[in-house]
Amino acid sequence: MLVCKGGDCKKRSSKDVRKALKDELRSAGMNGDVRVDSVECLGLCKHGPNAIVYPGGVWYLGLIEDDMPEIVESHLKGGDPVERLTAEFRPRKKRKQ
Ligand code: FES
């Protein structure tokens, strides 16, 4: 799982999100099963904190610490992405015309 630590995501607490993810993996006994890496920017900065889960390349946008238990349980453990948090299901900000 790649978690963005770039400037915009960092401003919105990506460090705390990453810590919550690691804590949750540890509690679930999955510390050795999932590799968590940090990346500098995923390119959707205004929606951050963002992350991508492989295999599958599922994008999560606008994460908060409280999302981590569900992502670990459903996606990382059970293989089912948490659809309401994935990029396709997040409402995008309207473009200015
Ligand atoms: S800073 Fe996180 S996506 Fe760009």
Side-chain angles (χ1 to χ4, degrees):
M1 182 163 177
L2 304 177
V3 181
C4 183
K5 66 171 185 178
D8 281 334
C9 289
K10 194 173 177 180
K11 269 190 251 165
R12 296 188 208 103
S13 306
S14 63
K15 202 172 174 183
D16 295 334
V17 167
R18 188 176 191 277
K19 185 183 179 314
L21 170 64
K22 298 281 275 183
D23 289 347
E24 199 59 38
L25 285 169
R26 202 170 299 119
S27 311
M30 297 176 64
N31 223 9
D33 300 333
V34 178
R35 180 171 171 174
V36 179
D37 277 334
S38 297
V39 293
E40 289 300 327
C41 183
L42 293 169
L44 291 173
C45 312
K46 68 180 178 182
H47 300 288
N50 302 321
I52 306 178
V53 175
Y54 288 101
V58 176
W59 282 72
Y60 286 105
L61 306 179
L63 293 170
I64 60 172
E65 291 168 72
D66 288 349
D67 295 331
M68 291 306 114
E70 193 177 359
I71 289 175
V72 168
E73 186 62 29
S74 177
H75 193 165
L76 302 181
K77 201 172 184 179
D80 292 324
V82 182
E83 288 191 347
R84 66 182 181 84
L85 300 174
T86 60
E88 295 95 304
F89 289 85
R90 282 277 170 154
R92 297 284 168 84
K93 288 179 184 166
K94 284 190 180 161
R95 284 185 182 167
K96 288 181 184 167
Q97 297 189 12

